[in-house]
Amino acid sequence: MEKIKINDTYLILKKGDITEEDTEAIVNAANSSCMGGGGVDGAIHSKGGHKILEECKEIRRKQYPNGLPTGEAVITTGGNLKAKYVIHTVGPICLEGKLTLEKKELLRRAYWNSLKLAKEEGIKTVSFPSISTGAYSCPVYKSAKTALETVIDFIKKEDFLKEIKFVLFTDDTYKEYSKALKELLNER
Ligand code: AR6
């Protein structure tokens, strides 16, 4: 685990299963249907139970009949999870594994809008998975840099959250995030 403090916020990298986290909110790497899927999305829906899906259906009906656009975020309760809330966001799909400038901006928006929504809801502790680096094929190291850069920018600008965690599922993903964080801190 790695833990650093930026202003009044702890930024943590850890290996683990995000469905076990007890931060107030966990973020889901969803797809625009918001109806569940594989990967971390599948794990959150299966452990959280049908309540999450019911709330997602309601959000689709009322707010996003054509689906949740890439880079946007919505919130439901956490159902049976330890986390009280789930923030659902949609990251970009990286064709041929390339994080182009356009995809990078969409990935930035997914992290930023998740944090913005947390703040609006008065949530002070949030866990993120590595959005877009599984089924959506974005390169881990570059995506990690974008994710960490965005979160650090948010902390410096908004100064509200107490703790932001990246809960990384594999050793490799953890290593890449750790490397990206070191590089970012050296650059700044
Ligand atoms: N806890 C933390 N991270 C996890 C967990 C978990 N329980 N399970 C997987 N990961 P992915 P994406 C990691 O594919 O690339 C879904 O089908 C995984 O190792 O879950 O944004 C959705 O419905 C990887 O590092 O999300 C969408 O259709 C990271 O989570 C699509 O996949 C993201 O992998 C979204 O693709």
Side-chain angles (χ1 to χ4, degrees):
M1 193 179 88
E2 283 179 55
K3 185 171 183 172
I4 61 166
K5 197 171 186 194
I6 302 165
N7 296 342
D8 287 329
T9 309
Y10 286 105
L11 174 60
I12 295 167
L13 305 185
K14 67 177 277 195
K15 215 193 118 183
D17 177 348
I18 202 168
T19 63
E20 298 293 330
E21 285 302 321
D22 61 359
T23 43
E24 287 166 80
I26 63 172
V27 175
N28 182 15
N31 58 57
S32 58
S33 81
C34 212
M35 296 291 115
V40 68
D41 193 9
I44 287 173
H45 277 275
S46 78
K47 227 178 202 168
H50 68 96
K51 187 149 190 290
I52 298 178
L53 187 61
E54 293 311 314
E55 289 177 50
C56 281
K57 282 184 184 160
E58 194 65 10
I59 290 168
R60 281 292 310 276
R61 202 174 58 78
K62 285 191 180 151
Q63 216 181 333
Y64 288 111
N66 297 322
L68 182 61
T70 306
E72 298 300 316
V74 297
I75 189 165
T76 65
T77 59
N80 303 325
L81 295 168
K82 289 180 193 160
K84 203 166 168 211
Y85 300 98
V86 177
I87 293 170
H88 305 260
T89 191
V90 185
I93 298 172
C94 288
L95 299 172
E96 294 168 4
K98 288 197 188 102
L99 188 72
T100 59
L101 271 182
E102 183 202 353
K103 300 292 161 87
K104 187 176 165 180
E105 174 58 18
L106 289 168
L107 187 60
R108 196 191 72 79
R109 288 174 55 80
Y111 283 101
W112 188 275
N113 286 327
S114 296
L115 291 171
K116 185 164 160 255
L117 185 54
K119 185 180 175 182
E120 283 162 9
E121 297 291 327
I123 292 165
K124 286 183 175 283
T125 58
V126 177
S127 297
F128 280 103
S130 176
I131 299 169
S132 284
T133 65
Y136 281 0
S137 307
C138 295
V140 181
Y141 182 71
K142 283 186 178 169
S143 302
K145 262 194 114 174
T146 299
L148 291 163
E149 238 165 28
T150 308
V151 165
I152 292 171
D153 285 349
F154 190 93
I155 294 172
K156 291 190 168 164
K157 184 159 176 270
E158 302 284 335
D159 201 21
F160 175 78
L161 283 99
K162 233 166 53 189
E163 186 179 276
I164 303 173
K165 273 187 208 177
F166 282 88
V167 182
L168 307 158
F169 205 48
T170 65
D171 284 326
D172 276 357
T173 317
Y174 179 84
K175 275 184 206 145
E176 298 295 299
Y177 271 72
S178 182
K179 213 164 80 185
L181 181 61
K182 270 192 199 84
E183 191 171 309
L184 274 176
L185 296 175
N186 283 336
E187 280 171 11
R188 279 169 189 246

